[in-house]
Amino acid sequence: AQSVTQLDSQVPVFEEAPVELRCNYSSSVSVYLFWYVQYPNQGLQLLLKYLSGSTLVKGINGFEAEFNKSQTSFHLRKPSVHISDTAEYFCALFSGGYNKLIFGAGTRLAVHP
Amino acid sequence: DTGVSQDPRHKITKRGQNVTFRCDPISEHNRLYWYRQTLGQGPEFLTYFQNEAQLEKSRLLSDRFSAERPKGSFSTLEIQRTEQGDSAMYLCASSSTDRGVTEAFFGQGTRLTVV
């Protein structure tokens, strides 16, 4: 079975501080990994994705993530957050054998002034 | 292209009523997915279509739920005899298999409240 675990349900942080949102996955086959952001009462917007190649991927809004196969992790980072980054963040995996995205429970990032 | 479009954005219905939601995917996308998201949770897979064929249904999709994609374009999700537990955000997504599925694009969702 495949699964995604987001290790923190909430992450409070001050504006301009760095942040890391943690994601671990479980799969017996190769996967693609994604981070999505969701603002209140909105759909999901793709931040970044790892398909293959370089393990450090850069996304929109200054976010980046590192794929670590040995640790089965795909943590999301941003060196300096803004108030506007306050949102729910979802890690997800896709495997061709399952033909669908499997999501973690989400991490609520709250940026305080 | 305006992306994935869902209608309505919000729906309030009384318990026991039937509701239908519509999703218009990105025009060249052959795959269409439905997900359900309850408060504080990640989206949960319900079903997906490749063109007009419904290829997989989750156990979450009880017999009160039915989804169609009659011409391989837009899709509808119907819930019959709604229950309070059906209250959730229903998300639609689409993707293309032309070069392998590498990304799913989501709509804004339909928020259902059953009172």
Side-chain angles (χ1 to χ4, degrees), chain B residues 37-103:
Chain B
Q37 185 181 21
T38 52
L39 207 60
Q41 298 297 315
E44 297 172 294
F45 170 79
L46 292 178
T47 188
Y48 91 92
F49 293 83
Q50 181 147 322
N51 300 312
E52 65 275 9
Q54 188 173 18
L55 296 186
E56 186 176 346
K57 293 194 290 187
S58 161
R59 291 190 307 271
L60 294 174
L61 214 66
S62 76
D63 56 6
R64 295 185 299 106
F65 287 70
S66 63
E68 295 183 339
R69 194 183 183 197
K71 297 182 181 179
S73 56
F74 73 91
S75 175
T76 57
L77 177 68
E78 181 183 16
I79 309 174
Q80 296 182 324
R81 305 180 304 281
T82 52
E83 301 172 355
Q84 286 190 319
D86 297 330
S87 295
M89 174 81 92
Y90 290 84
L91 294 164
C92 176
S94 70
S95 65
S96 171
T97 58
D98 281 354
R99 283 174 283 182
V101 179
T102 59
E103 184 175 341

Side-chain angles (χ1 to χ4, degrees), chain A residues 36 38 41-42 100-101, chain B residues 9 35 37 56 103-104 108:
Chain A
Y36 283 87
Q38 186 177 38
N41 292 313
Q42 299 291 317
K100 57 184 177 281
L101 283 167
Chain B
R9 290 290 309 279
Y35 286 81
Q37 185 181 21
E56 186 176 346
E103 184 175 341
Q108 296 296 292

